[in-house]
Amino acid sequence: MARTAPQSTQVTPLARSFYDRDVVTVARALLGKLLVRTVRGRRTSGRIVEVEAYLAEGDSACHSFRGRRPRNAAMFGPPGCAYVYSIHARYCMNVVTEPAGVASAVLIRAIEPIEGVASMERRRGTEARRDLARGPARLCAALAIDRTLDGHDLTCGDSLWIAGGPDPDGVVTTRRIGVTSAKELPLRFLVAGSRFVSGTRRQNEPAV
DNA sequence: CTACCGATTGACT
DNA sequence: GTCAATCGGTAGA
């Protein structure tokens, strides 16, 4: 086998059963995992450090709250697929959870860049490592994620997937950022102490 | 068709 | 901390 750069992290995609669980369980379990993106054989990746859960029921901030639409169709599909949408002329990426028809998802809000930092810098137009993927739309820009990946199956290990990683030492729970309804729900989860999370100091104070 | 608006970001005080 | 650019999706005339 050809010699390759040493890989410190396993890159086998997580199985569908990982995603076919309660959305909050999946959200917390995603912290520490490796988000992997390949473009023309070149890999970029990062450790997930910030996520938000969006509930299938009783969550007015969830895109599925007012029913199925063309835009949110992926949320109603099987678990383990991506839901990519645009807002304010940017892209954001979610992971669909729970059985098909239960329209819940986890928004990936920030990663700590691990591989392909130079590619991320080029795509983002900055060399500030902390800012490369701190925020859901910055993350998508850094990994070249757009709506062509809406509905993409994350369990195949092709183009875009999630692999295992070390569980964080601590998790902070806060309210979600930017939502204009259901603001009070404690559904944002951060790797404690990570400098790669978004939000202000106050927004990152524990809410529960 | 037009009008409104958001799970954001970056520039600025 | 404040503020507005940006544009696709959706609702409504």
Side-chain angles (χ1 to χ4, degrees):
Chain A
M1 180 179 164
R3 185 170 11 161
T4 56
Q7 296 301 325
S8 57
T9 313
Q10 173 64 265
V11 290
T12 302
L14 299 175
R16 192 160 331 273
S17 55
F18 175 89
Y19 303 99
D20 194 0
R21 296 182 289 167
D22 167 78
V23 62
V24 171
T25 300
V26 177
R28 299 183 68 110
L30 280 170
L31 294 177
K33 300 292 190 288
L34 195 71
L35 179 61
V36 184
R37 167 75 165 138
T38 57
V39 177
R40 290 190 299 276
R42 297 293 270 268
R43 193 160 84 201
T44 50
S45 69
R47 180 191 188 214
I48 298 172
V49 295
E50 177 185 351
V51 297
E52 286 176 354
Y54 286 86
L55 312 180
E57 298 294 334
D59 181 3
S60 57
C62 184
H63 285 178
S64 65
F65 186 70
R66 286 170 182 83
R68 182 174 180 148
R69 299 287 184 280
R71 172 172 85 146
N72 62 17
M75 291 189 83
F76 290 80
C81 291
Y83 164 47
V84 180
Y85 70 94
S86 69
I87 185 169
H88 294 285
R90 317 278 170 133
Y91 298 108
C92 296
M93 178 201 163
N94 296 250
V95 168
V96 177
T97 64
E98 305 188 68
V102 181
S104 59
V106 177
L107 174 68
I108 312 297
R109 285 195 56 94
I111 61 172
E112 173 181 345
I114 303 290
E115 294 177 284
V117 169
S119 295
M120 296 190 203
E121 291 173 347
R122 194 175 342 105
R123 291 164 179 158
R124 287 274 297 118
T126 176
E127 294 185 0
R129 185 155 177 266
R130 188 170 104 102
D131 292 334
L132 290 179
R134 187 172 63 104
R138 290 167 172 169
L139 178 161
C140 283
L143 297 186
I145 294 169
D146 61 24
R147 295 219 63 199
T148 64
L149 289 164
D150 186 37
H152 176 82
D153 190 339
L154 300 170
T155 68
C156 296
D158 169 60
S159 299
L160 179 65
W161 70 96
I162 299 172
D167 287 336
D169 287 335
V171 174
V172 174
T173 302
T174 78
R175 294 188 280 197
R176 294 175 294 188
I177 287 184
V179 295
T180 55
S181 63
K183 305 177 175 206
E184 73 289 352
L185 299 178
L187 293 175
R188 175 171 173 255
F189 307 100
L190 315 170
V191 170
S194 174
R195 73 188 189 98
F196 295 95
V197 300
S198 69
T200 63
R201 181 183 208 85
R202 178 174 157 77
Q203 287 172 314
N204 293 340
E205 291 293 320
V208 283

